Amino acid sequence: MLENRKYVIIGVFCLMALTYLARLFYLQVLDDTYSLGASKNSIKRVIEIPYRGQIYDRNNQLLVYNTPVYDLYVTPKKVNISDTTAFCRLMDITRSDFDSIMGLAQNYSAVKPSLFMRQLSKEDFARIQDALVDYQGFEPVISSMRTYPAHTMANALGYVSEISKKQLDNQDIPYYRQGDYIGHNGLEEQYEEQLRGKRGVKFVMQNVRGVNKGPWKNGEFDTLAVAGDNLITGIDVDVQQYADSLMKNKVGAVLAIEPATGEILVSVSAPTYDPNLLSSRYFSKNYRALIKNPYKPLINRPVMASYRPGSTFKLIQALIAQQQGSLLPSTVYGHAGSPMRCHCRGGNNLRGAVQNSCNPYFYYVFRKFLYFNGEHNTFKASAIGLRQWHDMAEKFGIGARLGVDLPSELKGNLPTPEYYDKAYRGALRWKFSNVYSLSIGEGELLISPLKLVNLAATIANRGWYITPHYIKGLGKVGVGVPEEYKVRHETGIDYKYYLPVIDGMRGAVANGTVTPLANIAGIDLCGKTGTSQNAKYGHKFDHSIFIGFAPMNNPKIAVAVFVENAGWGGKAAASVAALVAERYLKRKTEAKKLDEIVKASNYLPPANSLLTPKKPSPAKKDTTQKDPKPVQPKPLMTAIQPKAVTATVGMGGN
């Protein structure tokens, strides 16, 4: 028995010894964890930056790609320059710049390389390449730079630049380091995570002074960088560039979408700039110049500007009033008793009122809508009616962010009863006579071009829309499109109520408020003009607005155009919209005379007039508004980063 215990004890000790030996073998031979830890002082972890994904239009034409460039690094201890002046001349920098850069490099490390000059083009590098042989301590490293071959859509695309300190500090998951590049604004920012790709890592040996001695373990633990996904957009670059040419010497926006899908076909913010200006080592200089430009080209007007929609809003009034039951297509209103002026003769039915943009007609439509609830107290009736009006108009995407795939969309304003309760310091202190300017798209309404092109698409679809978006796919068409850009949003307006409105819109182009030249043969354009009053607040002309779609049946394109300070909506804006629709549908421009007139038109206000907005002149009374406004209108804002670019308010025109 005792003998057996001895063998058991010996066996236990042998088993323990074998376990320890196996563990030691694993730690010392198989596991590299401790080896890596012990090597921290001699192994450097180097991050490999992947190539950023490219951006294409709907026809596979490149909008953005990566151009190889060179970053020049310097190791101060190795530098020996006999003629600093000649070197600065070669590098096209000043002596003070040279001293500053070298001082920063020396402070970082005398023996480690640091950045001397970023993003040298192939041509610049070729110019200095041979001469660099004579200057020890300078080493070129190949990199890449964003290039925009179409020279268009700068505001929607955004740009890539060095990450800011605020962005570094606000990272939820640490990824970026100081000096890294990141997308700013536009699609570059919106799809940053997809475009940036996945980083690689390599380990290199270095001596005690930080000098590179080659890869560690022949790169066994290195991981390759994975290039970012390519972004395919719905943009038609041919039509986009053509729309750019039409908006030369103009301030405003052009947006076009495909009604059936919500894909944005054209996105023009005017004036614009060449996106390549913000993709070079002269970024800071060029950015400062753009900020100082009085026409504010950095503002992305399609989604950031807010305008009074003017008479284009009459389309919503007509639709929701029919749905409510307070308006029939056969209803006729004259001008008698209306405080609003009008250019037409009156006595229109609904089709004629849309065609001729009759202000008194929609004044009466709005009044009947508000009082249709049967409440005899006019204050209560106005509040109840306005609540219903707000809720029905809101379903068209008005008064909230639509959710376009850009980071800078503003929501605009669709006033509520509570808005006026606050403005008039209490409920039951305002009524229809205080808010009737809303009937023609004026007053406190603020709408972006994006929302109006979406309205055009909604009417083209006879009652529904898909949220407008730029993305068509990641890598290939249809892949990676967010689900929210596939959902149909219903307006709650019956199909039949769209028909008389569309008839009126076609009449507006064929025989109504649109200039005859814009009724281009073969496209069957339906539209609505608008004129947002601006002149009485110190500006010479009102803003020109047009929304529409084509063809009338089975629409392929919806368009919205804003041309600031261009006057009548049926001329400047409608002409641009008609030419854009023709170019998209026919793939060519046949309306040569109209094309020539539009391109020759110059509506740019003098630059000095934008520096200090003029104050309203009290000398001339506006007869279109007899009741006080709770919110005073503002002239065109000129700050570079406003909350909105606000057009002034007045009588909605044609």
Side-chain angles (χ1 to χ4, degrees), residues 332-349:
V332 175
Y333 288 121
H335 291 179
S338 169
M340 294 182 170
R341 295 192 300 265
C342 191
H343 54 277
C344 75
R345 299 180 61 183
N348 294 289
N349 60 15

Side-chain angles (χ1 to χ4, degrees), residues 58-362:
R58 68 190 300 109
N59 299 313
N60 210 36
Q61 293 193 55
L62 270 173
L63 295 173
V64 188
Y65 67 90
N66 302 301
T67 296
V69 291
Y70 295 86
D71 294 337
L72 191 62
Y73 284 80
V74 61
T75 305
K77 188 173 179 61
K78 296 180 180 179
V79 172
N80 183 16
I81 301 175
S82 58
D83 188 344
T84 305
T85 302
F87 179 80
C88 291
R89 196 161 46 242
L90 173 70
M91 296 295 173
D92 193 24
I93 60 175
T94 65
R95 177 61 188 265
S96 61
D97 288 338
F98 173 82
D99 292 338
S100 176
I101 296 170
M102 290 301 295
L104 290 172
Q106 184 70 41
N107 289 337
Y108 169 68
S109 173
V111 296
K112 294 181 180 180
S114 59
L115 186 66
F116 181 82
M117 187 174 289
R118 191 189 291 274
Q119 293 183 335
L120 286 165
S121 67
K122 290 184 292 184
E123 293 77 15
D124 287 336
F125 181 68
R127 179 176 57 81
I128 68 172
Q129 186 175 13
D130 292 338
L132 278 179
V133 177
D134 300 326
Y135 296 101
Q136 295 183 3
F138 292 91
E139 177 188 7
V141 176
I142 194 164
S143 180
S144 66
M145 178 180 74
R146 296 298 256 180
T147 302
Y148 305 84
H151 305 278
T152 186
M153 228 173 82
N155 301 87
L157 289 172
Y159 56 90
V160 175
S161 66
E162 191 171 329
I163 190 170
S164 67
K165 185 178 185 305
K166 182 178 180 180
Q167 288 173 311
L168 276 173
D169 295 340
N170 292 340
Q171 293 184 86
D172 293 329
I173 300 174
Y175 177 84
Y176 299 99
R177 303 160 302 156
Q178 187 173 353
D180 282 351
Y181 272 44
I182 189 173
H184 290 271
N185 298 332
L187 297 174
E188 293 279 21
E189 179 178 334
Q190 183 73 25
Y191 293 103
E192 165 67 17
E193 189 173 338
Q194 292 82 7
L195 289 169
R196 74 187 181 192
K198 295 181 179 179
R199 290 177 169 172
V201 178
K202 68 176 182 179
F203 298 92
V204 296
M205 297 291 293
Q206 59 184 15
N207 63 16
V208 292
R209 307 198 69 175
V211 177
N212 191 346
K213 294 296 182 180
W216 182 62
K217 287 197 172 183
N218 295 317
E220 182 181 344
F221 295 94
D222 296 352
T223 57
L224 295 175
V226 178
D229 292 327
N230 292 331
L231 173 64
I232 302 170
T233 70
I235 294 294
D236 187 316
V237 73
D238 174 67
V239 185
Q240 171 75 27
Q241 291 173 321
Y242 179 63
D244 279 338
S245 72
L246 298 176
M247 290 299 288
K248 187 176 181 181
N249 295 320
K250 301 170 184 67
V251 178
V254 180
L255 269 172
I257 66 178
E258 185 177 61
T261 64
E263 292 172 4
I264 295 175
L265 304 168
V266 174
S267 180
V268 174
S269 180
T272 188
Y273 61 94
D274 187 341
N276 291 292
L277 289 174
L278 299 184
S279 182
S280 72
R281 69 177 189 271
Y282 304 111
F283 171 88
S284 297
K285 175 184 175 182
N286 293 335
Y287 189 81
R288 284 194 298 269
L290 290 170
I291 285 179
K292 293 177 182 178
N293 188 318
Y295 297 107
K296 308 307 174 190
L298 288 174
I299 295 174
N300 189 12
R301 286 176 169 85
V303 297
M304 294 178 67
S306 290
Y307 302 89
R308 274 77 182 182
S311 292
T312 59
F313 198 79
K314 293 172 182 176
L315 300 174
I316 291 181
Q317 303 284 32
L319 291 166
I320 64 176
Q322 288 183 91
Q323 185 69 38
Q324 184 197 43
S326 59
L327 176 66
L328 299 173
S330 59
T331 301
V332 175
Y333 288 121
H335 291 179
S338 169
M340 294 182 170
R341 295 192 300 265
C342 191
H343 54 277
C344 75
R345 299 180 61 183
N348 294 289
N349 60 15
L350 178 56
R351 288 175 173 84
V354 173
Q355 174 177 322
N356 298 309
S357 194
C358 181
N359 290 333
Y361 189 94
F362 287 96

Side-chain angles (χ1 to χ4, degrees), residues 50 241 376 532 648:
Q241 291 173 321
H376 296 293
S532 184
T648 52

Side-chain angles (χ1 to χ4, degrees), residues 84 86 113 127 179 187 234 303 387 421 439 465 487 546 549 614-615 621 624 634 642 645-646 652:
T84 305
R127 179 176 57 81
L187 297 174
V303 297
R387 167 58 62 193
D421 290 346
S439 65
Y465 69 88
V487 178
F546 179 87
F549 59 87
K614 297 179 182 179
K615 295 181 179 180
K621 186 178 180 181
T624 64
K634 300 178 182 178
V645 181
T646 308

